[in-house]
Amino acid sequence: MKKNIKISYVSLGCAKNQVDFEYLIGELSADGFISETNPAKCDAVIINTCGFIEPAVKEAVDNILQMDNIISKKAKLIVTGCMVERYKQEILKELPEIDFITGVGKLSEAADYLREIFHIEKSSSEIKRAVTNSPYYAYVKISEGCNNLCTFCVIPSIRGKLKSRTMEDIEKEVGKLVGDGVQEIVIISQDTTQYGLDIYGEEKLLPLMKNLTSKFENTLFRMLYLNPEGVREDVISFVAETKNVVKYFEVPVQHASDKILTKMGRASDRNTIDNVFNNIRRLCPDAFIRTTFIIGFPGETDDDFMEVYNFISTMKPDFAGFFPYYKEEGSIAYNFNDDVDKKIVSKRIAELQKLQKKNTSSRLKEYKKKEFICFVDKVNDDFEFILEGRAIFQAPDTDGKLYVTDGIADKGSGPYKCIVNKVAYPDIYVTFLENN
Ligand code: SF4
């Protein structure tokens, strides 16, 4: 048996992809494979890809080609994940430098392949997921796939229909993570509010969350990917009233014009979306709301764009992302006419970003006078006297960074009480408070 087989891991795409990869890394670590950060020194590299939109596919291909130049001639190049699921035949034909591929839900086939070529036995010990971000938080995927038919989206064709995990299975995983010291559990899926519909015959997000938050009362829980139609008043009240749920709603609305929402095949119309925003502000006034928009969907006119603009002006989401529409092969909208000129799309996005910058900055400035908690991730790469982390109202890797310019992190990752001393959109600089 060859010992000390070194593997380099490259994770691309979203948190859901990251979680899949963490199970694979855990499995390989249990088998004795060693993680190697320098690909030039590794025996194999695994690139877990995203294939949701055109730029993600390009990023994956660039990574594969670059990696092939870095690794030794003998090292194995393995590619897994969404892009493989979407373009399996093309990859096999166009990228002969790859030694092995496997798609979504089958990542452990990469472990089988590595064990076989390096003559390593499968470990009999229990596989432990290897959390790859800062150890104080971890994502927990409560379901896979999606039953919706948004016309711009290829995710259901890549990841399939909704497949929820049982409540017991989720609770077991949360228990393990909490036992390992995780302080914040970030609940993810494709459409979190639909949790349970497939296996329990009805949505079970609230029972799941009530159980988890009462069993793990010293752990924080944050829910992401809440489609507006599922953000009912009982969900909002639960977030408002439960002390260990982060007051943060990620509600992707994608557009504000009913004409475009219908063409997008979205389940929520403008009235539903307005009600959700108003209800959150009424029932959970301290909450941060993040949303996303796709701009330049086929047929989007100046009037449709103005509906988004006016929505942002009046509803004032705390954080918002604006993404250009990409015509994705295999999506329902692929054959739609009336494409919007790319220059117009860029101009519209720039206007929305300018407007949103004011909303976010003004909300963040409130925290110059209001205390909040934050966590520390690491020392800044360029300035060793500055710490980096995130505020409780910032989701990981999404809502800007937090820099500690005044304070000593003598409790590891935290949490620490602090206030904002400077807003540099989208980031904040903070001072720790003395009563930490
Ligand atoms: S809700 Fe719509 S956009 Fe989100 S994964 Fe499902 S089909 Fe895609």
Side-chain angles (χ1 to χ4, degrees):
M1 183 206 278
K2 187 181 173 191
K3 298 267 170 156
N4 298 333
I5 307 294
K6 293 180 189 151
I7 316 276
S8 286
Y9 300 97
V10 180
S11 180
L12 305 173
C14 63
K16 284 153 274 190
N17 245 16
Q18 180 185 321
V19 172
D20 296 345
F21 210 33
E22 289 178 349
Y23 289 114
L24 174 63
I25 299 171
E27 180 173 348
L28 290 169
S29 303
D31 291 341
F33 289 93
I34 296 164
S35 291
E36 170 58 62
T37 49
N38 181 354
K41 291 185 185 166
C42 72
D43 297 291
V45 61
I46 312 178
I47 304 176
N48 194 33
T49 60
C50 174
F52 172 41
I53 48 172
E54 192 187 304
V57 174
K58 187 177 176 311
E59 186 192 18
V61 173
D62 288 350
N63 262 277
I64 293 165
L65 297 175
Q66 273 170 19
M67 201 49 88
D68 187 51
N69 285 327
I70 297 171
I71 59 176
S72 83
K73 286 274 168 288
K74 278 197 266 167
K76 301 292 176 194
L77 179 53
I78 298 164
V79 180
T80 60
C82 287
M83 189 185 75
V84 174
E85 198 67 39
R86 197 170 168 198
Y87 295 114
K88 190 172 182 179
Q89 296 312 324
E90 291 88 337
I91 292 170
L92 288 171
K93 213 165 99 197
E94 308 287 339
L95 294 166
E97 41 281 274
I98 299 174
D99 294 289
F100 184 81
I101 57 169
T102 186
V104 169
K106 292 170 267 184
L107 264 61
S108 65
E109 287 180 6
D112 295 338
Y113 168 77
L114 286 168
R115 279 190 292 263
E116 193 185 324
I117 58 162
F118 290 114
H119 310 292
I120 287 185
E121 301 250 316
K122 191 172 171 58
S123 160
S124 55
S125 60
E126 196 187 0
I127 292 161
K128 215 165 158 200
R129 176 179 152 198
V131 173
T132 53
N133 46 249
S134 298
Y136 70 89
Y137 74 94
Y139 294 101
V140 169
K141 190 153 59 162
I142 59 171
S143 64
E144 183 55 275
C146 180
N147 282 353
N148 298 332
L149 287 172
C150 302
T151 58
F152 53 81
C153 182
V154 291
I155 286 178
S157 66
I158 298 175
R159 292 193 169 248
K161 288 216 166 271
L162 179 74
K163 288 178 283 299
S164 302
R165 295 169 66 187
T166 63
M167 291 202 207
E168 294 74 24
D169 191 31
I170 296 167
E171 185 186 323
K172 205 168 141 202
E173 179 169 29
V174 170
K176 265 194 218 161
L177 291 164
V178 170
D180 287 345
V182 168
Q183 300 186 66
E184 179 184 335
I185 298 289
V186 185
I187 298 286
I188 56 169
S189 69
Q190 301 299 340
D191 182 355
T192 299
T193 58
Q194 283 197 355
Y195 169 74
L197 203 54
D198 53 328
I199 53 170
Y200 298 115
E202 57 180 333
E203 288 173 12
K204 286 280 189 188
L205 180 64
L206 271 189
L208 171 77
M209 293 309 299
K210 281 180 182 167
N211 179 44
L212 292 176
T213 49
S214 61
K215 288 230 165 88
F216 305 99
E217 57 181 2
N218 295 319
T219 305
L220 288 169
F221 288 83
R222 178 191 305 267
M223 293 184 281
L224 300 184
Y225 308 106
L226 302 163
N227 268 329
E229 58 280 6
V231 186
R232 296 180 312 264
E233 289 197 21
D234 55 353
V235 174
I236 302 169
S237 298
F238 165 75
V239 173
E241 289 158 13
T242 311
K243 72 168 181 23
N244 54 335
V245 175
V246 181
K247 312 303 174 229
Y248 182 98
F249 291 85
E250 190 203 22
V251 186
V253 301
Q254 311 304 15
H255 217 277
S257 143
D258 270 331
K259 183 190 94 189
I260 299 295
L261 287 167
T262 306
K263 279 188 86 176
M264 284 179 163
R266 296 289 291 169
S268 290
D269 61 9
R270 173 64 187 272
N271 189 41
T272 308
I273 293 168
D274 283 353
N275 283 339
V276 168
F277 272 67
N278 289 330
N279 287 340
I280 294 173
R281 295 301 189 210
R282 178 170 58 85
L283 297 168
C284 194
D286 287 342
F288 271 69
I289 306 179
R290 157 165 279 276
T291 189
T292 44
F293 294 88
I294 295 174
I295 301 302
F297 193 77
E300 183 189 81
T301 60
D302 283 343
D303 285 349
D304 298 318
F305 161 70
M306 281 315 295
E307 290 202 48
V308 177
Y309 193 91
N310 292 334
F311 178 87
I312 302 278
S313 306
T314 50
M315 291 299 178
K316 299 191 188 311
D318 302 296
F319 297 113
F322 305 97
F323 301 94
Y325 168 71
Y326 290 101
K327 218 175 185 47
E328 292 301 329
E329 212 176 336
S331 68
I332 300 167
Y334 187 69
N335 297 317
F336 287 5
N337 299 320
D338 288 337
D339 286 357
V340 183
D341 184 277
K342 283 196 173 136
K343 278 195 194 131
I344 295 179
V345 176
S346 303
K347 196 167 156 274
R348 287 177 183 169
I349 288 181
E351 280 184 52
L352 293 169
Q353 282 171 332
K354 198 170 153 202
L355 178 64
Q356 180 55 34
K357 184 176 174 182
K358 285 188 205 156
N359 291 339
T360 303
S361 302
S362 114
R363 182 76 203 267
L364 294 174
K365 277 180 193 155
E366 287 175 17
Y367 288 81
K368 286 186 168 184
K369 292 197 183 117
K370 255 198 233 175
E371 138 184 352
F372 59 96
I373 64 164
C374 73
F375 289 94
V376 169
D377 286 289
K378 59 173 194 157
V379 173
N380 182 268
D381 291 336
D382 300 320
F383 302 99
E384 63 181 30
F385 51 89
I386 292 183
L387 301 169
E388 252 177 70
R390 71 185 163 85
I392 190 71
F393 47 73
Q394 293 172 313
D397 302 320
T398 314
D399 300 322
K401 289 214 166 107
L402 171 144
Y403 297 101
V404 184
T405 49
D406 190 3
I408 297 166
D410 51 6
K411 287 191 294 173
S413 301
Y416 298 95
K417 288 181 196 150
C418 59
I419 51 164
V420 168
N421 58 48
K422 185 177 150 194
V423 173
Y425 175 85
D427 304 326
I428 48 177
Y429 291 77
V430 306
T431 302
F432 280 176
L433 296 175
E434 280 178 6
N435 58 348
N436 259 317

